[in-house]
Amino acid sequence: MIKQFKRVIRNSIVLILISISISCISCSKRNEVVGSGAINEGNDPNFKIVVNKDAGMTAFNRKIVVFGIDIYAVSGVEDAKLLHAANVMAQYLDNNEDGVIDNQLVLDKMLENKAFLFMWKSESDLNSINPPSGRLGQDLGNEETIPSFVSNGKMGRFDASLEEVWHIITHAGYSKAYPEIFGENAGTSLTNAMDKARGGSFTSIPSTYPSEAWYTYDDTTCTYDCQATEYFYWAMTSILGAQSNRLSEIQQEWKLNTKEKVSDTDKDIYALLTNSTYKFPTVLPDGTYKR
C-alpha cells in the first residue's frame, strides 16, 4: 500500500458537485478498442468493463462504474481483479444484494465528492497518476487484490480490496454524510472512540503508545484524519470477520481482531458500527454480488 500517495488523494478538496447516473450493467460479448489494446467487457452478470475516456484520467485505459462510482484500472491490471473490486464495492453499498443501496445518503455524498477507486499494477504506475482536483480517490494494487481470500475461509494472503474499497466509502461517504459522528477530525464520535482505543489523543504518531491501547497504528506519514480512516477500517472489518485469522499479522496495529473482542473492549465503536441508523454492512463481501 502506498500510504503517502493515499494521503494526497484523500486530502483532495471538492470544487464542484456532479450528478452521476447509477449503473449496474449486464455484460455482453463485444470488445472495444482503445489505442492498440482490446478492452474485454468480461463475463460478470452485473458489471462490464468499458473504455475509459474521462478527462484527467488518461493513465487508465478502462473502468467499471458501480452505482455511479468509477473504478479505474491501468492496462496491467487483471480483468478478474478489476471485476472483483467492483463486486466488493457493490456488496459494501448493497449488502443484502436486493438491488437497492442500503444508505442512499452515503452514496449521494460519494457522488457529490466524485469518489473513485483506481487500480495499479506496479508502483511506477503511481508516478503517472494525477487526478483532477475536486475528486476523492483511493488506490488498490493488482497484486494485493486476492479474490479467493474470503472463499478460502479467510486464510492466506489478505484481500486488500476489503480495506481500500471500504476506505473510499468511509472517507468520501460516511464522514461527509455524518460529519459530527464519523468525521475524521478531532471531537467526533468516531475520533473520540479512536482516542480511547489509542490511550490518548495524539495528533501525530507517538514514539510509544500507552500499554492499555489496542489501536497502535505506527505509520508516521498517517495524519490524524488518516488514523481515523484506518481505525474505522480495523473495527468494521473485525466485526464482519475479515480479521479473525490474522491476529499475529496485525496485532502491532490492532488487537481486537474479532467481533467479540470489539464488543467486549471497544464498546464505543461497536455501538456506532452496529447502530441500524447508519445501515452498515453486516456480511463481509466475497466478490460475488447478486450471484
Side-chain angles (χ1 to χ4, degrees):
M1 295 180 286
I2 311 303
K3 298 291 185 183
Q4 191 169 9
F5 187 80
K6 290 175 184 175
R7 304 292 84 77
V8 174
I9 294 296
R10 289 176 186 167
N11 290 330
S12 299
I13 300 173
V14 179
L15 301 179
I16 58 172
L17 305 181
I18 60 167
S19 174
I20 307 177
S21 59
I22 295 175
S23 62
C24 184
I25 311 169
S26 300
C27 78
S28 70
K29 302 299 182 180
R30 178 173 54 90
N31 285 342
E32 298 180 71
V33 176
V34 56
S36 60
I39 300 298
N40 190 325
E41 293 180 347
N43 60 356
D44 192 276
N46 302 293
F47 307 104
K48 71 176 181 179
I49 302 170
V50 299
V51 173
N52 171 46
K53 299 179 180 178
D54 294 352
M57 307 298 284
T58 56
F60 310 102
N61 70 328
R62 64 209 199 281
K63 70 175 185 175
I64 297 176
V65 183
V66 180
F67 299 122
I69 306 301
D70 296 315
I71 302 179
Y72 298 99
V74 300
S75 59
V77 170
E78 298 167 48
D79 289 345
K81 294 189 175 184
L82 175 56
L83 285 164
H84 176 71
N87 277 267
V88 169
M89 177 78 75
Q91 288 180 302
Y92 269 138
L93 293 172
D94 173 22
N95 198 238
N96 63 0
E97 303 187 30
D98 64 354
V100 178
I101 294 297
D102 298 332
N103 191 321
Q104 186 63 46
L105 179 59
V106 167
L107 178 63
D108 289 345
K109 288 299 180 181
M110 292 180 73
L111 296 175
E112 216 174 84
N113 287 282
K114 295 189 283 186
F116 67 99
L117 188 77
F118 63 97
M119 298 187 68
W120 48 275
K121 173 66 174 177
S122 64
E123 292 185 17
S124 61
D125 293 328
L126 298 175
N127 297 328
S128 61
I129 295 170
N130 186 27
S133 60
R135 301 200 70 172
L136 292 179
Q138 177 65 48
D139 75 285
L140 173 64
N142 181 77
E143 303 308 318
E144 64 182 1
T145 302
I146 312 296
S148 62
F149 172 73
V150 176
S151 62
N152 283 346
K154 292 166 283 189
M155 301 292 290
R157 188 176 177 188
F158 184 68
D159 179 15
S161 70
L162 297 172
E163 175 178 0
E164 311 305 349
V165 173
W166 185 243
H167 280 335
I168 192 59
I169 291 172
T170 62
H171 180 60
Y174 277 97
S175 72
K176 305 299 188 286
Y178 308 99
E180 295 182 358
I181 307 298
F182 299 112
E184 298 160 344
N185 53 291
T188 70
S189 299
L190 172 70
T191 56
N192 286 342
M194 178 182 74
D195 289 342
K196 285 186 182 181
R198 297 196 300 167
S201 179
F202 306 106
T203 56
S204 59
I205 302 295
S207 56
T208 58
Y209 280 95
S211 59
E212 68 271 19
W214 56 87
Y215 175 47
T216 53
Y217 201 73
D218 60 1
D219 180 354
T220 57
T221 70
C222 191
T223 54
Y224 189 85
D225 59 335
C226 156
Q227 293 167 46
T229 301
E230 299 290 343
Y231 174 63
F232 208 156
Y233 150 72
W234 282 123
M236 188 75 255
T237 55
S238 295
I239 289 171
L240 295 179
Q243 312 297 344
S244 59
N245 298 318
R246 302 186 70 220
L247 182 60
S248 62
E249 182 181 349
I250 68 175
Q251 61 185 342
Q252 77 281 1
E253 291 185 6
W254 178 251
K255 296 178 175 61
L256 311 183
N257 66 309
T258 67
K259 180 178 181 179
E260 292 73 25
K261 289 178 183 178
V262 178
S263 65
D264 289 346
T265 302
D266 198 332
K267 297 183 185 301
D268 290 349
I269 197 64
Y270 185 80
L272 281 175
L273 300 189
T274 57
N275 187 329
S276 61
T277 299
Y278 307 113
K279 301 177 182 177
F280 284 112
T282 59
V283 178
L284 183 68
D286 63 1
T288 61
Y289 178 68
K290 296 183 76 171
R291 281 186 269 153

